[in-house]
Amino acid sequence: MNFGFSEEQELLRDQVRRFMQEDLPLTKIRTMTKGALQLDRPLWTRMAELGWLGLTTPESCGGLGLSWVDATVVLEEAGRGLCPMPLVSHLLSTEAILAVCGKKQRMAWLPAMAAGQAVCTLALYDEPNWLHPDAITLEGKRVKKGIRINGRKPFVTDAQYADYLLIALRVDKQLYLAAVGRDQVTITPQPQMDLTKPTASVEFDDVVLSESALFRLSRKQLAWLTDCGAVAVTAEMVGAADAVHTLTVDYANQRVQFGNLIGRYQGVKHRLADMYVDIESFRSLLYYAAWTVNNAPGELPRAASLAKGYASDAFAQIGIDCIGLHGAIGFTAEYDAQLYLKRSKWARPAFGDSDYHLQRVATLGGL
Amino acid sequence: MDFDYSPSEEAFRKEVRDFLKENLPPRKERGSDFLANWLRKVRARGWVGFSWPKAYGGGGGGLVEQAILREEMALAKAPPLGTSFMGLAWVGPGIIQYGTEEQKQRFIPDILDSKVTWCTGYSEPNHGSDLAAIQCKAVRDGDDYVVNGQKIWTSGAPWSQWIILLTRTDFSTTSKHDGITCLLVPMDSPGLEVRPIENMAGDRHFAEVFFRDVRVPVANRLGQEGEGWKVTVSALANERSSIGEVTQMFSKLDTLKELVRATARNGRPAAKDPAVRRRIATFEMKIAAMKYNGLRYLTKQIRGEPLTSETSVNKLHRASLEIEMDDFAVALMGQAGLHLRGSDDAVDAGSWSKSSLSWPNVVIGGGTPNIQRNIIAERILHLPKD
Ligand SMILES: Cc1cc2nc3c(=O)[nH]c(=O)nc-3n(C[C@H](O)[C@H](O)[C@H](O)COP(=O)(O)OP(=O)(O)OC[C@H]3O[C@@H](n4cnc5c(N)ncnc54)[C@H](O)[C@@H]3O)c2cc1C
């Protein structure tokens, strides 16, 4: 019985935390995310050198062959600093390739990804608020030379950064993941609230792909990748919620009104205590969900839904209340709390909101 | 990170399961001497006072085994391991930590053998949450203390033989936490009077306890004079993994799901109503959070890291679940939810309506939610005291 992190994992946590403080502080992130987005390649390469881009990649494919618990450590710390680099997309693409591709593509793609040379993202659903196989509406038509695709994939996270994209679509009622290079499609950045999660639409204009660029995506694999997505996003939410909570606790320990630190007033301190309860709780649920990915995959659906079901609403409320507890200063663009509020809004629907996940918990629980 | 148990831990789990198979017949088949036999048998196994030192008759067991024992007992819906509830929960651990050798020999075996029931005399009419401000007075007179004052909400006082009592021996200290002294007092002491109080569920398990010139030998003082606060705090902190509690809550959730499946609302199965489903899932989410919080805290303890006040996290979840689950059940059943045992229209023999009136046992009894929030805010987040 050991529901805690190993020494190596704690070292990894310190390493990522230091990296975020020294190499990617919020002041830098603010400039990075202004204007046209470009991936900071040197920084990405450093992340690769530190091993973070190949954590879950098998050793035979140039990775470290570690687990999702390790990946969670990285994502939690990345989330704490609102890291704008495409770590989640990268992790999910790796998982997708492991799930649907054969040995040939794995050997061709995964080492380059782990080395930071190829940036990849994954796009599953076309509907903004529906996680279901039918919510994949982009269609390809079988033609002589392969599959012809016309249409638009909206809401693709990190598409701006990607060299390659894994796009879910349907052909003759079957689901596939299509592997395309960024030059084959038109990527149009779409402004959205959270600048640290760049989002674009991807247009296919008479793109013809050979069969070898298409991989059957079973419903089970789709569900698996969706659950992995929920785990990855929730890991970032834990770090981000913890960060904005700490920021607010510190403020409450320093701001004086009516002759007292505001943290002395129960309207403030009790809300901060309740936030602590929530963060502790979705943190525990998340760690368990991350553990199931490699150790008890049959338990993943329920575990992922418990964690994301909790975190979605709890973090959204924490985001709002942390602004409120600051007073007017929290409303300013200059103050960092607002960046976390935006992340909480971004994360809420990502890979399922509380309604999706709690309805599923009910179903899995026999109702 | 792993949820595996060592071979010896697995062997212990099997031992508990085998024992339960053999010694826990279905309710209907249990004779009148069942409980007495049960208590004797679990005692013989060393499972009562599981983690207490062997020298005093405890089991000398480890944290993980204790968690396994509690989990298996709860899964099997077994009776408690002893009937001296408060004796096992904090009086015994307090005596082991602070008692004299003579006190240990005298009190511990009777607690383990369920021979003596203890109650807890902390709260007073004017001092509940602000426990350290108690006023019940004890004055040294030769080899005795003479106690005058009143306690209230004393659970089990009507049938207990002993009370662990917080008194004030020094009224001149600058800090209210000083000058408190803990005494162990027989309930049949001359001058001690118990007046039961009926609660809103119709039970009479707590009481007022009055002390008029009650003489308590100095030999019955637990810890040093003026040290009573320390004794109380560390005894109350004697909380281990809450895994047994979580298991019980999961089985209550199962019962609640059965109720949902058996209930129609607005002419449709309640189990299809998204609002109902969401509530049930939210309960499951919080109970699961308690489970994994508890396992994280247990891991900390196994690693020898001290817990600060993290247990308040689960206490807050527990408090809200305790209120909401029964209340949800009662609301779900509409008119029928109000009916008590004996009504032809009661569901589940009125058990939901009854338990929906009993939440203060858990929610107020061990420190109110606001006090838990203060504990988290002040001890974990280091916010100012109010
Ligand atoms: C079923 C039951 C069994 C009990 N058994 C025992 C027992 O065996 N022995 C024993 O000694 N006691 C027992 N108690 C008493 C229990 O410990 C007290 O009721 C509890 O500590 C609260 O004290 P109080 O009732 O005086 O309420 P108060 O302390 O007067 O509190 C009233 C309200 O004010 C709030 N409040 C108080 N202080 C603060 C603050 N600083 N900040 C914010 N809000 C605050 C509380 O949360 C509460 O809502 C029992 C109580 C119950 C309900």
Side-chain angles (χ1 to χ4, degrees):
Chain A
M1 223 331 288
N2 168 20
F3 191 34
F5 294 96
S6 67
E7 238 169 84
E8 291 79 18
Q9 286 163 339
E10 291 300 350
L11 286 175
L12 177 63
R13 180 185 296 285
D14 289 345
Q15 190 189 43
V16 184
R17 200 181 283 203
R18 232 177 316 115
F19 181 94
M20 290 304 300
Q21 283 162 358
E22 288 164 15
D23 297 275
L24 255 181
L26 277 170
T27 42
K28 179 163 179 187
I29 291 172
R30 280 171 180 271
T31 15
M32 278 168 83
T33 51
K34 240 183 217 138
L37 270 182
Q38 282 238 318
L39 184 66
D40 186 331
R41 289 273 170 178
L43 218 50
W44 189 248
T45 308
R46 279 212 32 225
M47 288 180 159
E49 284 161 4
L50 290 166
W52 305 346
L53 304 186
L55 276 183
T56 61
T57 310
E59 284 171 285
S60 59
C61 301
L64 295 178
L66 295 175
S67 72
W68 267 68
V69 173
D70 301 275
T72 293
V73 169
V74 173
L75 291 179
E76 185 183 331
E77 294 311 315
R80 186 183 306 281
L82 296 182
C83 180
M85 315 286 278
L87 284 168
V88 168
S89 300
H90 178 86
L91 177 69
L92 292 176
S93 303
T94 303
E95 196 62 37
I97 291 168
L98 287 170
V100 304
C101 295
K103 193 165 171 213
K104 194 176 133 215
Q105 290 89 10
R106 290 181 187 195
M107 294 308 288
W109 297 343
L110 291 177
M113 287 169 65
Q117 290 150 4
V119 181
C120 201
T121 192
L122 173 75
L124 297 176
Y125 303 99
D126 299 80
E127 296 284 337
N129 49 11
W130 193 29
L131 303 189
H132 189 275
D134 293 348
I136 297 174
T137 51
L138 181 68
E139 254 193 292
K141 294 241 175 325
R142 233 170 260 286
V143 292
K144 242 196 222 132
K145 282 186 251 159
I147 309 292
R148 166 171 301 155
I149 311 168
N150 273 303
R152 178 173 184 268
K153 194 83 180 167
F155 317 118
V156 185
T157 308
D158 296 325
Q160 291 94 315
Y161 292 149
D163 302 310
Y164 301 95
L165 304 98
L166 295 167
I167 306 278
L169 48 75
R170 54 181 63 246
V171 182
D172 301 336
K173 293 197 181 122
Q174 302 255 15
L175 297 179
Y176 292 84
L177 277 184
V180 295
R182 68 173 299 125
D183 298 338
Q184 292 172 276
V185 292
T186 310
I187 296 171
T188 314
Q190 304 293 348
Q192 138 311 93
M193 213 184 264
D194 182 2
L195 296 177
T196 65
K197 286 287 179 187
T199 305
S201 57
V202 175
E203 250 137 317
F204 290 78
D205 184 10
D206 256 347
V207 177
V208 177
L209 297 179
S210 72
E211 292 276 358
S212 66
L214 247 67
F215 306 90
R216 222 13 254 295
L217 177 69
S218 69
R219 286 178 167 237
K220 216 173 142 195
Q221 288 163 336
L222 174 65
W224 170 260
L225 293 175
T226 306
D227 287 337
C228 286
V231 171
V233 167
T234 308
E236 288 187 325
M237 294 165 89
V238 169
D242 201 12
V244 72
H245 181 247
T246 304
L247 187 71
T248 312
V249 168
D250 289 348
Y251 189 74
N253 262 326
Q254 149 208 325
R255 171 77 174 167
V256 175
Q257 284 296 288
F258 298 101
N260 287 304
L261 291 172
I262 57 167
R264 191 171 161 197
Y265 302 117
Q266 292 189 346
V268 174
K269 80 195 267 191
H270 282 191
R271 180 65 194 115
L272 289 170
D274 283 336
M275 289 183 198
Y276 179 83
V277 170
D278 283 338
I279 297 169
E280 274 291 279
S281 298
F282 65 75
R283 180 196 297 280
S284 294
L285 291 171
L286 165 78
Y287 292 165
Y288 176 64
W291 179 84
T292 65
V293 174
N294 299 103
N295 300 284
E299 269 289 298
L300 173 64
R302 176 172 170 273
S305 279
L306 288 170
K308 184 76 185 10
Y310 200 134
S312 292
D313 288 350
F315 182 27
Q317 196 60 48
I318 288 168
I320 290 168
D321 291 348
C322 282
I323 300 282
L325 290 176
H326 275 88
I329 188 85
F331 186 41
T332 60
E334 192 186 336
Y335 199 78
D336 289 337
Q338 55 107 352
L339 300 174
Y340 289 93
L341 169 100
K342 290 169 182 171
R343 172 60 70 86
S344 77
K345 302 254 196 235
W346 179 86
R348 181 165 50 187
F351 299 100
D353 61 10
S354 68
D355 215 40
Y356 168 83
H357 286 293
L358 292 177
Q359 293 300 329
R360 190 163 73 148
V361 166
T363 305
L364 294 170
L367 286 190
Chain B
M1 202 174 276
D2 69 71
F3 294 86
D4 303 331
Y5 291 91
S6 73
S8 73
E9 288 159 359
E10 288 293 359
F12 179 68
R13 189 186 292 279
K14 183 165 183 310
E15 181 191 334
V16 179
R17 285 195 178 162
D18 290 346
F19 174 87
L20 287 167
K21 225 178 273 164
E22 211 153 290
N23 295 293
L24 193 66
R27 241 166 254 274
K28 282 179 217 130
E29 295 166 28
R30 293 178 196 171
S32 57
D33 57 350
F34 166 77
L35 189 64
N37 282 330
W38 164 267
L39 293 171
R40 201 172 33 72
K41 285 185 210 160
V42 290
R43 175 83 185 92
R45 294 265 171 162
W47 291 350
V48 190
F50 188 82
S51 61
W52 300 7
K54 281 200 167 144
Y56 301 109
L63 286 170
V64 179
E65 273 96 352
Q66 175 168 273
I68 290 173
L69 180 68
R70 291 187 178 171
E71 184 176 22
E72 291 301 323
M73 289 287 161
L75 273 175
K77 301 195 169 86
L81 296 171
T83 54
S84 185
F85 170 72
M86 294 185 192
L88 289 169
W90 54 78
V91 181
I95 291 174
I96 288 172
Q97 197 176 349
Y98 290 101
T100 61
E101 194 53 37
E102 197 219 321
Q103 287 170 342
K104 292 178 197 174
Q105 302 295 350
R106 178 172 175 200
F107 294 116
I108 298 297
D110 285 348
I111 292 176
L112 292 171
D113 292 331
S114 294
K115 277 194 187 142
V116 166
T117 303
W118 285 80
C119 60
T120 304
Y122 292 170
S123 306
E124 298 178 1
N126 291 324
H127 307 285
S129 301
D130 187 10
L131 185 57
I134 50 128
Q135 298 293 310
C136 182
K137 182 173 176 182
V139 178
R140 181 80 181 254
D141 179 25
D143 287 339
D144 290 337
Y145 286 100
V146 180
V147 180
N148 277 287
Q150 187 197 338
K151 295 291 169 179
I152 193 168
W153 319 125
T154 317
S155 298
W159 58 81
S160 292
Q161 289 86 37
W162 284 81
I163 182 167
I164 181 170
L165 185 70
L166 273 196
T167 64
R168 186 164 294 282
T169 42
D170 187 350
F171 284 78
S172 66
T173 58
T174 35
S175 162
K176 63 186 174 185
H177 298 97
D178 296 332
I180 295 175
T181 299
C182 185
L183 301 175
L184 309 174
V185 186
M187 290 297 279
D188 60 3
S189 303
L192 188 158
E193 189 198 341
V194 176
R195 289 188 206 151
I197 303 169
E198 182 173 324
N199 70 21
M200 70 174 167
D203 296 321
R204 298 164 72 84
H205 57 45
F206 55 21
E208 291 175 289
V209 184
F210 296 90
F211 297 83
R212 281 185 204 90
D213 293 327
V214 174
R215 297 192 80 85
V216 182
V218 172
N220 283 13
R221 187 183 68 211
L222 183 58
Q224 296 305 308
E225 187 170 301
E227 228 188 23
W229 184 250
K230 197 168 89 185
V231 173
T232 315
V233 168
S234 69
L236 283 181
N238 209 286
E239 250 160 322
R240 296 285 164 94
S241 111
S242 53
I243 207 161
E245 188 185 53
V246 165
T247 311
Q248 283 166 2
M249 291 170 74
F250 271 125
S251 70
K252 181 164 178 170
L253 181 70
D254 284 341
T255 319
L256 188 55
K257 283 181 187 171
E258 275 165 38
L259 178 71
V260 167
R261 280 190 215 100
T263 304
R265 269 169 74 84
N266 306 317
R268 283 192 311 151
K272 293 221 159 85
D273 180 337
V276 169
R277 296 163 58 81
R278 197 181 156 110
R279 280 306 287 285
I280 295 286
T282 306
F283 298 145
E284 182 164 343
M285 179 183 96
K286 287 195 185 167
I287 301 171
M290 284 180 71
K291 174 177 173 179
Y292 293 107
N293 285 339
L295 289 176
R296 272 175 61 217
Y297 303 150
L298 176 65
T299 300
K300 262 186 120 178
Q301 286 179 303
I302 294 170
R303 291 179 177 182
E305 295 165 34
L307 289 186
T308 44
S309 304
E310 289 97 334
T311 43
S312 291
V313 169
N314 276 358
K315 281 196 188 142
L316 280 168
H317 277 314
R318 174 79 206 271
S320 69
L321 286 164
E322 191 70 22
I323 296 172
E324 288 170 21
M325 286 171 73
D326 292 308
D327 186 55
F328 168 81
V330 166
L332 181 77
M333 292 182 274
Q335 298 290 338
L338 309 175
H339 282 232
L340 303 170
R341 173 190 291 278
S343 160
D344 293 334
D345 298 311
V347 178
D348 292 342
S351 61
W352 296 104
S353 50
K354 167 90 182 177
S355 53
S356 76
L357 295 173
S358 301
W359 53 265
N361 288 327
V362 170
V363 178
I364 300 174
T368 68
N370 276 351
I371 297 307
Q372 305 300 338
R373 290 186 185 99
N374 273 1
I375 290 174
I376 292 174
E378 291 164 16
R379 299 201 200 142
I380 302 179
L381 307 179
H382 306 296
L383 290 163
K385 282 191 189 306
D386 56 32

